[in-house]
Structures are given as C-alpha cells and as structure tokens.
C-alpha cells in the first residue's frame, strides 16, 4: 500500500501513535508518506519506505493567521497525485480531517478517488473539538471521512454524545512497541536518584491543566508521609512553573526532579515503582501503557478510556478524578513489599495485549475494508 499519514509532528500521543504506525507499516513493506509542518519527532532515521513532505505555509502581510489548513490540503493533493497514494490517514480531527476532506473533493473533481480515514485521539473531541467555534466543521469532516477510528470505546461514546455523527466509528486502541518499551537494566539510575532505597514514582505528561499534575504532586506528598519516595516529572508544558511552586510550598522540592522532555523515557520507566496519571480527560492513556510495558503499575483517575487499559485492582487502581486520598492509599497498597511484584507482573501482561504486532493488522484490515468500500461506491 501507499499511505499518506497526516499528524502533529510534536511529542504527544497522537503524533507518536501516527509515527509509530507509519514506521510499523514501512517495516512491513508499505510506502508511507508523512505530511506535516515539520519532521515528526520519532522519524529521525532512514528507511527506504518512509517519506516526509513538509507543508509550505506561505504568509502574506494581509494574513493575521496564515491559513495552515489550506496549505495542508494543497500538499495532500500534491502528494496524493504525484506519489499515487492509495489512502490518506489523518490523526487528530482538527484541522487534519477537514483539510483531508477538502483534498478529497479537489482530487475527485480531477477524477481521482482517494479514501480518507480519520483517527480521533481525544482532545480533538472532548475539549477543543466540541467547542462551538469548531464543532460544525468537526462534525462535517467526521461524517465525510470514508473511515473513522477512535482510540477507545469511551472516546467513541463521547463522539456520539457531542457531535451529530451519522456514521460508524471503529475502535482501534493505542499500541506499543515492546522491543523499545521494556524494562532495561538501569539500576545505576535508581541508585543515583534513590540512594537510600526510596521508592521511585514517575509522572509523564505535557503539563496541561487536563493532566492534573498538581494531583500527582499531592498524592506523592501524602505517600511520603509514610513511605520514603522520590518523584520524577517528565515532560513540559504550561503548568510546569505552577507545579514547581506547589512543590516548594509543600516542602518537597528536594525529592522532586523535573526532567523535561525526554527522548528515551523508557530508561526512566525501567527503574520506576509506580506511575501516576490523575488526568481529568484521557481518551486512552498512552503514557500509562508505556509505563506498564516497562513493568510499572499505574495509579490513575477513571477518566475517559483509562479504565479500558488500567484494570482496577490488577494492573494498578483507578479512582474518581481528584480523589487524592484514595489514590494515595491505593498507591501505598501497591508499594508494599507484599504486592509490588504481582502488580508489576500484571502491568506487563496487560501491556502485551496492546503489542504493535496485534494492533497493526487491525489497521491494515481496516484500510483494505475502507478502500474496497470506496472502490465499490465509485463504480
Ligand atoms: O495527552 C495529550 O494531551 C496529547 C494527546 C494528543 O493527541 O497528542 O493525546 C491523546 O491521544 C493519545 C493517543 O491516542 C491518547 O493516548 C491520550 O489519552 C489522548 N489525550 C487525551 O485524551 C487528553
């Protein structure tokens, strides 16, 4: 197959899923064309089947806001025509789905039929997309896509709740490359961070409000009353300064390390005892899956699709959003010598169900199904 993938090239769930999917397809011999405004973060090596097409965003003194969506649609038309794409797979509805629908219509007018598949990732539906300033366009572009996937049952339900969607949505969960995300022997890291045998707790996110990083810090603070522990905060974003202030106010700054954006987060996860994900919204929770693949149990909220991944009482625990006391007591339960090994084992077993080798064929089957439908309809 010759597939065009459109995504955000930055760190963050949807871009990571799109890039890893493209890499997986390329390894199977498919040709994959990434169409974005800069080189995707994880696409930093050579593979004969991987191609990158940069969107040219021309500005003009008249434009207060350069029209990215139009430049993207034009690039999709160009790549689809000249690389003879079989389909376009766009990740994150805004603005990728509407740009793809526009590209599809332009190509149709030239006699070229190209199927468009849209994957909904989370905030494109639950936060930004349902805002009245975007909702009509998101609804239209979901309904006009030839195939739509969502990363969890919860996100599918939210899509039907917030938008007048009249078409089927296929759930295809996030996945993980267990060759990359696996427990590595990095004991020297652990000794350096936890010289007195403290437990190591990790949170990774983009430090946006929806991640409730302050809850993670408060849970850690309460754990520390009883269990000596250290907290590693991985990632960066708008809440970072507030979180640093909170750690100072609580008097725990000496036990908290801010690591910023990390390329090899699996090295840190390899020495962690517990992962915290207290999010207010989370359609799937890829960061928790990455932790579980490195044998780290998860204390999380029960927001969105998290309970579809983190099995309460088995791979960790899920609590109502903001229930810091319950999250703390569950964390202590996991961290006790009697339970930790069992939770770690369960976390890994659950992560294996989302191995890329299980999920990739689900995507390729869906591609074939959608291409066949479009072909039949156009005859
Ligand atoms: O978590 C984020 O804020 C980033 C966001 C994205 O689109 O880049 O992640 C969303 O997509 C991921 C991959 O499908 C999911 O694992 C995350 O749960 C989801 N985030 C939210 O729903 C908040």
């Amino acid at each position: 197959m010759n597939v065009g993938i459109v995504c955000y090239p930055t760190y963050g769930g949807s871009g990571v899923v799109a890039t890893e999917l493209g890499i997986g397809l390329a390894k199977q011999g498919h040709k994959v064309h990434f169409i974005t405004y800069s080189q995707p973060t994880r696409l930093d090596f050579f593979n004969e089947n991987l191609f990158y097409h940069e969107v040219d965003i021309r500005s003009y003194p008249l434009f207060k806001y350069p029209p990215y969506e139009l430049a993207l649609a034009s690039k999709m038309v160009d790549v689809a025509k000249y690389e003879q794409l079989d389909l376009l797979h766009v990740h994150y509805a805004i603005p990728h789905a509407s740009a793809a629908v526009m590209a599809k219509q332009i190509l149709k007018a030239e006699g070229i039929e190209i199927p468009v598949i849209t994957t909904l990732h989370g905030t494109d539906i639950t936060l930004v997309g349902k805002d009245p300033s975007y909702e009509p366009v998101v609804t239209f572009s979901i309904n006009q896509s030839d195939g739509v996937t969502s990363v969890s049952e919860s996100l599918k339900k939210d899509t039907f709740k917030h938008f007048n969607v009249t078409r089927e949505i296929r759930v295809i969960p996030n996945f993980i490359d267990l060759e990359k995300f696996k427990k590595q022997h990095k004991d020297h890291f652990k000794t350096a961070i936890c010289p007195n045998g403290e437990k190591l707790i990790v949170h990774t996110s983009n430090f946006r409000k929806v991640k409730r990083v302050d809850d993670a810090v408060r849970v850690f603070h309460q754990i520390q009353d009883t269990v000596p522990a250290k907290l590693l905060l991985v990632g960066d974003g708008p809440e970072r300064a507030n979180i640093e202030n909170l750690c100072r106010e609580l008097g725990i700054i000496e036990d908290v390390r801010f690591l910023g954006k990390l390329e090899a987060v699996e090295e840190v996860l390899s020495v962690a005892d517990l992962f915290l994900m207290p999010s207010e919204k989370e359609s799937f929770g890829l960061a928790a899956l990455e932790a579980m693949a490195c044998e780290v149990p998860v204390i999380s909220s029960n927001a969105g699709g998290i309970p579809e991944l983190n099995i309460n009482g088995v791979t960790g625990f899920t609590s109502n959003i903001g229930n810091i006391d319950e999250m703390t007591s569950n964390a202590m339960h996991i961290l006790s010598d009697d339970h930790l090994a069992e939770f770690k084992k369960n976390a890994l077993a659950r992560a294996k169900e989302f191995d890329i080798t299980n999920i990739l064929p689900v995507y390729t089957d869906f591609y074939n199904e959608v291409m066949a439908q479009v072909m039949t309809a156009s005859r």
Side-chain angles (χ1 to χ4, degrees):
M1 257 182 275
N2 209 4
V3 183
I5 290 187
V6 177
C7 64
Y8 282 105
T10 48
Y11 285 92
S14 61
V16 169
V17 167
T19 312
E20 295 294 344
L21 174 63
I23 294 170
L25 291 169
K27 281 183 186 162
Q28 287 189 342
H30 301 289
K31 291 211 181 321
V32 180
H33 297 263
F34 283 91
I35 306 169
T36 73
Y37 59 80
S38 78
Q39 182 92 4
T41 314
R42 290 197 183 177
L43 207 68
D44 55 356
F45 59 92
F46 173 77
N47 176 303
E48 58 183 0
N49 291 329
L50 288 173
F51 303 85
Y52 165 60
H53 307 265
E54 190 156 310
V55 178
D56 314 308
I57 313 156
R58 296 288 155 86
S59 203
Y60 183 69
L62 186 63
F63 301 155
K64 188 169 173 198
Y65 307 104
Y68 176 65
E69 194 177 339
L70 302 188
L72 175 62
S74 297
K75 186 56 92 178
M76 282 193 240
V77 169
D78 180 76
V79 177
K81 256 202 242 174
Y82 294 103
E83 302 291 348
Q84 301 190 327
L85 297 184
D86 294 311
L87 74 102
L88 276 167
H89 185 179
V90 302
H91 292 258
Y92 205 91
I94 304 170
H96 302 154
S98 44
V101 166
M102 199 192 306
K104 181 184 167 71
Q105 285 168 354
I106 294 168
L107 288 162
K108 200 182 176 81
E110 297 183 27
I112 300 168
E113 194 68 61
I114 182 137
V116 167
I117 293 180
T118 297
T119 290
L120 309 171
H121 279 274
T123 47
D124 47 351
I125 294 298
T126 58
L127 201 68
V128 205
K130 70 178 209 243
D131 187 278
S133 43
Y134 295 114
E135 182 278 321
V137 177
V138 174
T139 305
F140 178 77
S141 42
I142 290 174
N143 285 331
Q144 292 297 312
S145 297
D146 299 295
V148 178
T149 79
S150 79
V151 298
S152 62
E153 289 291 345
S154 155
L155 184 60
K156 175 177 169 175
K157 231 169 90 196
D158 280 338
T159 309
F160 284 117
K161 186 168 147 203
H162 298 303
F163 301 85
N164 185 14
V165 168
T166 52
R167 49 157 315 109
E168 187 213 345
I169 296 177
R170 188 71 55 90
V171 174
I172 306 182
N174 285 178
F175 53 82
I176 188 101
D177 181 353
L178 291 167
E179 289 298 314
K180 177 172 155 72
F181 282 89
K182 61 180 174 202
K183 194 175 177 69
Q184 302 172 8
H185 294 291
K186 296 280 171 191
D187 297 345
H188 55 290
F189 279 8
K190 180 87 173 235
T191 320
I193 303 160
C194 304
N196 303 309
E198 295 92 338
K199 295 290 187 220
L200 186 59
I201 298 170
V202 175
H203 168 84
T204 73
S205 75
N206 50 22
F207 283 62
R208 296 197 187 128
K209 273 243 182 281
V210 285
K211 300 294 176 181
R212 295 182 72 105
V213 189
D214 49 334
D215 283 6
V217 167
R218 289 182 200 283
V219 169
F220 171 72
H221 179 227
Q222 291 191 15
I223 291 173
Q224 255 204 339
D225 282 345
T226 322
V227 180
K230 300 279 183 183
L231 177 64
L232 294 183
L233 293 173
V234 182
D236 209 344
E239 287 300 298
R240 154 85 199 251
N242 291 340
I243 295 302
E244 212 159 339
N245 285 337
L246 178 64
C247 293
R248 288 191 190 126
E249 275 165 31
L250 295 172
I252 56 172
I253 194 78
E254 294 302 317
D255 296 312
V256 181
R257 293 268 284 262
F258 291 80
L259 300 183
K261 291 175 184 166
L262 284 186
E263 280 287 330
V265 67
E266 63 277 10
E267 293 185 352
V268 167
L269 293 170
S270 290
V271 291
D273 296 299
L274 190 67
F275 186 82
L276 300 176
M277 179 175 266
S279 309
E280 186 160 336
K281 292 187 188 298
E282 201 69 64
S283 65
F284 181 87
L286 181 61
L289 175 57
E290 292 177 344
M292 288 159 71
C294 296
E295 301 178 34
V296 188
V298 175
I299 287 292
S300 67
S301 70
N302 54 13
I306 304 179
E308 295 172 45
L309 168 70
N310 185 20
I311 310 300
N312 197 30
V314 179
T315 59
F317 287 97
T318 53
S319 299
N320 287 338
I321 298 161
N323 193 340
I324 292 165
D325 291 343
E326 188 181 282
M327 289 182 194
T328 306
S329 72
N330 287 337
M332 312 275 258
H333 177 85
I334 293 178
L335 290 173
S336 74
D337 291 340
D338 291 348
H339 301 121
L340 189 54
E342 182 70 13
F343 276 96
K344 285 187 173 203
K345 191 180 88 196
N346 295 345
L348 175 60
R350 180 75 178 141
K352 284 182 176 169
E353 295 175 37
F354 298 91
D355 187 349
I356 186 168
T357 56
N358 297 333
I359 309 298
L360 208 67
V362 184
Y363 270 115
T364 46
D365 286 353
F366 189 59
Y367 287 175
N368 284 321
E369 194 182 314
V370 171
M371 285 191 302
Q373 274 166 13
V374 170
M375 200 80 85
T376 312
S378 69
R379 269 193 207 123

